[in-house]
Amino acid sequence: MRNRSRSALASTPAGAGATVESPRADVLLTEARERTDALLASWADRLRDEIGGRHGEALAYALRTPGKRVRAALVLAAYRSVGGSSPGIMGVAAAVETVHAYSLVHDDLPCMDDDDLRRGRATTHRAFDVPTATRVGYMLVPVAAMVLSRAARDLRLKSTSLGRMAETLFQAGGIEGMVGGQWMDLEAEQRVLDLSELTAVHRGKTGALIQAACVLGGLAAESTATQLAALSGFGEEIGLAFQVADDVLDVTGTSDELGKTAGRDEALQKSTFVRLMGVEGARREAARLAHRAIQHLDNAGIASPSLATLADYIVSRRS
Ligand code: GRG
């Protein structure tokens, strides 16, 4: 699909002295959150009724916990950046957020980060119990596949496009991405990682799903190979930047601001970018990655004020 978003360039004069303003991050996130939350709530209600009992309640709880929906906002902005305009894209955003929700449920378990607080609420195993939360995490993976498949139908995509989207999402969520990164992270708990090891952990654990969100937006719009490569490059840089900023927030934010326990990295003696570079060094690194992310788009002629705003938000956010 041709890039039809160029006329929305933030720095492009709109005529008669006016300029088109960049969208504000809170506006982009609110749109993504409201639309994603509505979709996830309808899936949660349906699945709670179908599954029933404690597992149905716990699955609905995990799907309904209120996140920032950064990944959903990236899917939407990436889709629009290459000319996509169908409301069906929100199903793709919801599928990514479902994989993310599964990862948070399992990440908080006693065998991993062992946390009580997530998104300002009790973690799923605290609100229910460990076996229930463990099963619910696994159950969310096929739910994500169903949500994605329904979205591809709503978007009237060819089955080959659905295949590529499924491959992108589940490869990012698997051993080559999120699971692999988390695995390395757990194995590294007893030692200090160097920068290249830490980068590999976080490109997998956090970056891969964020990168996939950007690529999925492009795939849903049936964008060109050049555009897809640019969205992938953008997502790779911004995905790592997200984790660098997260490490900073873990030491500078409060539990109230973060909705999760602050200072957890220090308590678990984790290797972090802050440990290797200090707070200011990590902030500079996040900004450098965000700048590189935008360059990928510029080089491919993708002018997206929304993606630029989200890149900036990711490295300057307070929660
Ligand atoms: C079986 C080894 C193995 C792993 C299972 C649990 C898991 C897979 C992976 C962990 C992935 C993970 C939780 C990475 C952290 C990503 C991260 C920085 C999450 C916080 O994202 P935000 O700030 O959260 O966007 P909200 O709540 O706003 O959605």
Side-chain angles (χ1 to χ4, degrees):
M1 188 175 281
R2 301 287 304 157
N3 178 2
R4 281 186 247 128
S5 65
R6 280 192 200 183
S7 59
L9 231 187
S11 56
T12 300
T19 53
V20 179
E21 282 184 17
S22 288
R24 288 197 342 238
D26 61 335
V27 172
L28 296 172
L29 288 166
T30 300
E31 181 192 6
R33 192 169 55 245
E34 287 177 355
R35 296 175 70 186
T36 308
D37 285 359
L39 251 181
L40 289 179
S42 71
W43 278 98
D45 291 347
R46 197 185 114 186
L47 291 162
R48 188 190 49 219
D49 293 347
E50 273 175 28
I51 297 164
R54 194 170 174 76
H55 288 93
E57 291 296 339
L59 187 124
Y61 181 85
L63 268 183
R64 278 177 171 276
T65 51
K68 292 186 292 294
R69 307 302 184 204
V70 173
R71 292 154 192 80
L74 286 168
V75 171
L76 186 56
Y79 178 66
R80 288 175 173 164
S81 78
V82 288
S85 59
S86 165
I89 190 60
M90 294 320 297
V92 179
V96 176
E97 289 286 347
T98 302
V99 172
H100 177 51
Y102 132 69
S103 79
L104 299 182
V105 171
H106 276 193
D107 191 51
D108 292 330
L109 287 172
C111 64
M112 297 209 204
D113 276 5
D114 189 13
D115 220 330
D116 299 339
L117 186 67
R118 174 67 74 176
R119 294 172 164 173
R121 297 183 179 181
T123 50
T124 308
H125 70 277
R126 280 281 171 201
F128 295 84
D129 54 75
V130 171
T132 304
T134 306
R135 290 179 204 128
V136 157
Y138 290 129
M139 284 154 71
L140 284 170
V141 179
V143 169
M146 277 197 297
V147 175
L148 184 70
S149 161
R150 178 69 58 87
R153 202 182 71 188
D154 292 347
L155 286 162
R156 299 182 193 286
L157 293 175
K158 294 189 290 266
S159 56
T160 46
S161 297
L162 171 59
R164 287 185 75 188
M165 289 166 73
E167 194 177 330
T168 299
L169 180 56
F170 295 108
Q171 204 164 43
I175 192 73
E176 291 167 61
M178 191 174 76
V179 168
Q182 175 81 342
W183 190 323
M184 286 192 275
D185 199 25
L186 292 170
E187 289 203 329
E189 266 175 5
Q190 308 309 322
R191 63 192 183 92
V192 179
L193 299 180
D194 66 25
L195 189 56
S196 74
E197 290 173 313
L198 188 64
T199 300
V201 166
H202 291 310
R203 281 203 192 284
K205 175 180 156 179
T206 303
L209 192 60
I210 289 177
Q211 181 180 17
C214 301
V215 174
L216 283 163
L219 285 170
E222 296 182 324
S223 64
T224 65
T226 305
Q227 290 170 330
L228 271 184
L231 289 171
S232 177
F234 171 86
E236 186 176 10
E237 307 287 3
I238 214 65
L240 185 59
F242 189 97
Q243 183 61 52
V244 179
D246 219 65
D247 287 0
V248 171
L249 286 173
D250 189 70
V251 294
T252 59
T254 64
S255 298
D256 264 0
E257 283 169 332
L258 303 179
K260 61 181 181 181
T261 315
R264 200 75 191 133
D265 294 339
E266 179 70 29
L268 296 173
Q269 286 288 295
K270 286 205 162 190
S271 292
T272 65
F273 287 94
V274 169
R275 207 164 165 190
L276 291 181
M277 302 175 168
V279 168
E280 283 315 313
R283 281 197 174 122
R284 276 196 299 276
E285 176 62 6
R288 186 184 73 84
L289 290 164
H291 181 72
R292 281 171 51 141
I294 302 294
Q295 280 178 333
H296 284 281
L297 303 181
D298 287 349
N299 292 343
I302 298 175
S304 170
S306 297
L307 286 174
T309 294
L310 290 172
D312 182 56
Y313 163 79
I314 280 170
V315 297
S316 61
R317 66 203 165 91
R318 301 281 310 144
S319 66

